[in-house]
């Protein structure tokens, strides 16, 4: 069996700060790594390999700086990574990114199963898996948990708002992994050492995938974009008193002043 | 495909109503035509939301492929410039699929849109949440249709004129789905109580043992409130059926007291519409303090009993208590 895991080199959005004066997003220096959600994708792939035997490749559209970030997922049990250098540095429209990923998947050949996260840590747009299902003409099990492969079928549970839906599709298929469905394993030092020998192949859209940057740009449906940070003004007042009992009283007094509490005497 | 029309879909009737209302408000200057897609035999009950046409399709609402096909069929008829899809898990799968089929632009988690008429047809601008809610982007789309997914609570569901829409039964043959559904198991839920709560004690991993929830519950009870929690308290520890945050419930109480919550942005997104936020955390460097109105640096095990004692002793009640 051949399984492909799609993993994104994602920004740690918890580290994105908003400039209070200009509302600008401070993106410079924000750490990037394989997203927490996509580590669940790697874990799902490794568990399926353990259950059924499989070759596990991973595909990432991202910057060359991502090359060193695959150690963990390789140590977990992925066999090989293909990094496609992103000509738009993460700024491409969803359709363009899907088009590049599709071209890379087609070049890698026929897979039995392609796994994505339900959303990426930073993009969080839930769109890559459904777009690829459309483009590749594959069945999709979205928000999947408890994935099982047997007799050319994928069985899984779809994790929906109010329940779990048991479904199946024939392979080849695509699945997106539900939130926290496959907490990634810890790896050993031996696995980490072995991972160093596993290949990280770098592809470029033009020579390797036969895509032309200008043509890709034309596919984008966005003419222009701007962005600002979401700012919610809070009072940020720290209570400083000699004892915690005084803090409790001070907090109650403040909440009385704010009129969310009422009544009482000192 | 560039008519002055909006196509609106959600399997969630309340959200559909919000979307119709949002579609109306966003286009009233130009007086666009609004078409809604309603699913199921009872869908004609949705003909009074304010839309001009209701396309009724009788398909299994649990199968994303069928809904995609139905929405596509409606889109081919309406030729909308904008398709608004409710951002439920189903909608978030259907919307990008439709965007692919219509070669349309797409923004997930839209928070608003504007239309202007240009020489090449309607021009669409839309705002959407980016980076998991840390920012808002404004996109100007090239000519052509645009699909937007919109979460609950973005548009208010103002009752429009209450006119009856024309109901059109869509009976285009739909392809056999590749996904087979075998069964359904409901999950335990808070049943929407949290969304209505006016006082919430929001607990995080600073609460060490399950029994310790008695302390936080005592505070909640005292002020007639509810408990909510961060994701690890539910997903890892399984102490609660659901969590608050980016992928969880969104709360907007008058008062939210977080205890032992570090304040990760993915959690804050669930509580940031609270009127007032109080944070109790042992670590004075915890990010929660920059998201709070009042901060107390304290061990919750020491502070909460004192707070409970003082509230009781002083006869304090929530402002809205009768
Ligand atoms: C893509 C993505 C989506 C996510 N979505 C969500 C989401 O929807 N909701 C969500 O909640 N999280 C979400 N998370 C996880 C989030 O990033 C945080 O990891 C999580 O919210 C942390 O939970 P916490 O604050 O309870 O725990 P911790 O971060 O472990 O914080 C515990 C806090 O308790 C304090 N503390 C410890 N002991 C005491 C004590 N005795 N008294 C007082 N304070 C004490 C500590 O100082 C610390 O600040 C998401 C993460 C990712 C990557
Ligand atoms: N640049 C990328 N490279 C590889 N996989 C990606 C990329 N972007 C998204 N994905 C995959 O698609 C999933 C959903 O991402 P998104 O649609 O951006 O929310 C992620 O969890 C990944 O599995």
């Amino acid at each position: 069996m051949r399984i492909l895991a799609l993993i994104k080199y994602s920004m740690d959005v918890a580290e994105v700060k908003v400039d209070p004066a200009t509302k600008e997003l401070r993106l410079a220096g924000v750490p990037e790594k394989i997203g927490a959600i996509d580590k669940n994708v790697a874990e799902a792939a490794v568990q399926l390999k353990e259950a059924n035997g499989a070759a596990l490749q991973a595909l990432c559209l991202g910057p060359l700086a991502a090359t060193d970030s695959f150690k963990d997922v390789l140590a977990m049990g992925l066999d090989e990574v293909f990094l496609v250098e992103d000509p738009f540095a993460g700024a491409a429209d969803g359709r363009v990114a899907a088009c590049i990923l599709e071209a890379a998947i087609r070049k890698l050949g026929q897979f039995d199963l392609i796994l994505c996260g339900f959303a990426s840590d930073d993009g969080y747009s839930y769109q890559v898996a459904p777009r690829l299902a459309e483009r590749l003409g594959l069945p999709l099990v979205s928000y999947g948990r408890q994935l099982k492969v047997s007799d050319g079928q994928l069985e899984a549970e779809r994790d929906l708002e109010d329940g779990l839906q048991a479904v199946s599709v024939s392979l080849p298929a695509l699945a997106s992994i539900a939130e926290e469905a496959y907490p990634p394993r810890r790896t050993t030092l031996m696995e980490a050492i072995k991972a160093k020998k596993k290949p990280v192949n770098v592809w470029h859209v033009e020579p390797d995938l036969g895509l032309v940057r200008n043509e890709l740009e034309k596919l984008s449906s966005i003419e222009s974009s701007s962005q600002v940070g979401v700012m919610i003004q809070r009072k940020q007042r720290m209570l400083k008193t000699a004892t915690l009992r005084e803090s409790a009283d001070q907090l109650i007094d403040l909440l009385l002043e704010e009129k969310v509490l009422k009544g009482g005497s000192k | 495909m560039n008519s002055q029309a909006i196509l609106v879909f959600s399997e969630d009737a309340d959200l559909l109503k919000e979307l119709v209302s949002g579609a109306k408000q966003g286009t009233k200057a130009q007086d666009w035509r609004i078409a809604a897609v309603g699913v199921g035999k009872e869908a004609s009950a949705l003909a009074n939301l304010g839309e001009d046409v209701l396309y009724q399709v009788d398909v299994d609402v649990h199968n994303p492929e069928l809904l995609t096909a139905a929405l596509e069929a409606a889109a081919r008829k309406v030729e909308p410039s904008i398709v608004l899809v409710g951002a439920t898990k189903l909608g978030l799968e259907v919307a990008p699929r439709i965007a692919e089929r219509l070669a349309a632009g797409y923004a997930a988690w839209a928070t608003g849109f504007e239309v202007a008429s240009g020489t090449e047809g309607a021009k669409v601008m839309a705002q959407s949440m980016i980076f998991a809610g840390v920012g808002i982007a404004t996109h100007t789309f090239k000519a052509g249709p645009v699909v937007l997914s919109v979460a609950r609570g973005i548009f208010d569901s103002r009752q429009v004129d209450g006119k009856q829409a024309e109901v059109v039964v869509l009976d285009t043959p739909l392809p056999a789905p590749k996904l087979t559904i075998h069964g359904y198991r409901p999950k335990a839920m808070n049943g929407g109580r949290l969304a209505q709560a006016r006082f919430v004690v929001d607990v995080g991993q600073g609460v060490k043992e399950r029994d310790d929830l008695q302390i936080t519950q005592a505070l909640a009870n005292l002020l007639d409130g509810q408990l909510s929690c961060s994701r690890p308290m539910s997903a890892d520890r399984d102490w609660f059926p659901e969590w608050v945050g980016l992928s969880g419930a969104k709360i907007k109480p008058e008062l939210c007291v977080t205890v032992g919550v570090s304040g990760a942005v993915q959690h804050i997104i669930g509580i940031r519409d609270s009127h007032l936020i109080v944070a109790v955390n042992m670590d004075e460097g915890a990010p929660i303090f920059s998201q709070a109105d009042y901060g107390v640096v304290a061990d919750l095990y020491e502070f909460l009993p004192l707070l409970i004692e003082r509230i009781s002793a002083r006869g304090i009640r929530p402002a809205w208590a009768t």
Side-chain angles (χ1 to χ4, degrees), chain A residues 36-37 121 124 179, chain B residues 204-206 208 230-232 243-248 260-264 266-267 280-283 286 298-301:
Chain A
I37 295 170
D121 278 38
Y124 207 73
E179 183 164 21
Chain B
Q205 296 198 93
K208 297 288 164 343
S230 65
R231 189 177 75 180
W243 61 84
V244 155
L246 181 60
S247 54
V261 168
S262 59
Q266 296 95 354
H267 184 73
V280 180
N281 193 303
M282 222 159 54
D283 170 11
D299 182 339
L300 70 96
Y301 291 95

Side-chain angles (χ1 to χ4, degrees), chain B residues 62-83:
Chain B
H62 303 294
N63 194 316
E65 290 172 48
L66 291 175
L67 288 171
T68 305
L71 189 57
E72 182 191 1
R76 304 273 176 218
K77 285 207 162 33
V78 176
E79 307 207 326
S81 289
I82 299 178
V83 182

Side-chain angles (χ1 to χ4, degrees), chain A residues 6-8 38 59-61 101 116-117 119-120 124-128:
Chain A
L6 263 67
I7 54 178
K8 186 177 181 195
D38 292 347
L59 173 63
C60 174
L61 171 66
L101 289 169
C116 295
S120 57
Y124 207 73
S125 65
Y126 288 58
Q127 62 179 308
V128 167

